[in-house]
Amino acid sequence: DQQVKQNSPSLSVQEGRISILNCDYTNSMFDYFLWYKKYPAEGPTFLISISSIKDKNEDGRFTVFLNKSAKHLSLHIVPSQPGDSAVYFCAATSGTYKYIFGTGTRLKVLA
Amino acid sequence: DAGITQSPRHKVTETGTPVTLRCHQTENHRYMYWYRQDPGHGLRLIHYSYGVKDTDKGEVSDGYSVSRSKTEDFLLTLESATSSQTSVYFCAISLGSGRASSTDTQYFGPGTRLTVL
């Protein structure tokens, strides 16, 4: 049973516009959430995270929003750049180091 | 970049043969992990280690064993490889300060692409 779901396998966005990547989870014990970015032939790299005590965390062009009642988080990238084209994974943990990852969303930013 | 290397980077082997993948870190991080990445499944945890000789199973541990005799090395062994173990394998490390946080996240190695014929 998939505890962390990314229902959109792919997303295309025009350069300069906003990219919104979504993630849903089912386990109410999750209290820390992360986004990783992955380029082809490389390992995932940490992008941004959020604790369940917050509903928003911002880092430059990247903002993560958490809606605990809906068990939903989203990653906003504004403005989107061609270098943002990658696969994005959301992950969740219940306070431990064991992350549960989603299946990933491939973002393509069109120049 | 975190000092994580994986070897080999690519391997083709035959069904039934043993395979060992190596992860080496220079960061002196306490925790080390092995994941596999497959289309439609994302990243799934195979095994992890929270110290020398201390290991535990992840969600897809069947058919895999691990060993950690030194802080810097974490080995993943497929005792008898099967075609279902064809995958990309990633090693990760984390500081292990006590709780996941923005300053204690997992850092990933470059991956090993394994093909079992």
Side-chain angles (χ1 to χ4, degrees):
Chain A
D1 184 31
Q2 198 85 27
Q3 296 186 69
V4 178
K5 301 177 185 179
Q6 294 178 256
N7 292 317
S8 298
S10 64
L11 174 69
S12 291
V13 170
Q14 208 66 35
E15 180 180 6
R17 306 295 291 269
I18 184 171
S19 295
I20 300 176
L21 294 90
N22 294 303
C23 180
D24 296 295
Y25 62 96
T26 58
N27 189 340
S28 58
M29 297 301 292
F30 289 147
D31 62 1
Y32 199 76
F33 304 88
L34 310 95
W35 284 94
Y36 278 79
K37 176 180 180 179
K38 185 184 179 306
Y39 292 120
E42 295 183 10
T45 55
F46 170 70
L47 189 57
I48 192 169
S49 62
I50 188 167
S51 165
S52 61
I53 62 173
K54 295 185 175 182
D55 53 19
K56 176 183 173 181
N57 188 29
E58 193 172 350
D59 184 2
R61 295 186 298 114
F62 303 91
T63 302
V64 56
F65 295 92
L66 176 63
N67 182 332
K68 287 188 291 295
S69 60
K71 294 190 176 68
H72 178 82
L73 66 154
S74 61
L75 175 68
H76 293 210
I77 307 174
V78 184
S80 300
Q81 300 173 353
D84 296 328
S85 296
V87 177
Y88 290 79
F89 292 98
C90 67
T93 178
S94 53
T96 70
Y97 295 103
K98 291 176 71 172
Y99 295 178
I100 304 297
F101 282 87
T103 52
T105 296
R106 183 178 302 276
L107 173 66
K108 188 170 184 179
V109 180
L110 307 170
Chain B
D1 289 345
I4 311 169
T5 56
Q6 293 184 233
S7 58
R9 294 293 312 279
H10 301 270
K11 186 169 181 70
V12 179
T13 191
E14 295 194 347
T15 297
T17 59
V19 176
T20 295
L21 308 183
R22 180 183 184 236
C23 177
H24 179 78
Q25 60 144 330
T26 58
E27 306 295 322
N28 200 35
H29 280 17
R30 181 183 170 201
Y31 276 70
M32 298 185 76
Y33 314 79
W34 277 108
Y35 288 88
R36 59 179 290 174
Q37 185 197 1
D38 304 289
H41 291 280
L43 291 153
R44 293 180 293 174
L45 182 65
I46 304 171
H47 281 281
Y48 69 102
S49 168
Y50 47 96
V52 174
K53 292 186 169 51
D54 293 322
T55 64
D56 203 353
K57 296 179 179 180
E59 57 185 310
V60 289
S61 59
D62 287 348
Y64 301 95
S65 63
V66 290
S67 66
R68 191 169 177 200
S69 58
K70 297 186 290 186
T71 299
E72 58 265 35
D73 289 324
F74 193 33
L75 305 180
L76 176 71
T77 297
L78 292 66
E79 301 289 349
S80 177
T82 67
S83 58
S84 65
Q85 293 175 312
T86 292
S87 187
V88 180
Y89 291 86
F90 289 100
C91 173
I93 65 173
S94 65
L95 183 62
S97 61
R99 190 172 179 86
S101 69
S102 62
T103 57
D104 190 2
T105 60
Q106 293 184 19
Y107 298 93
F108 284 79
T112 294
R113 181 173 294 277
L114 176 67
T115 303
V116 184
L117 301 175

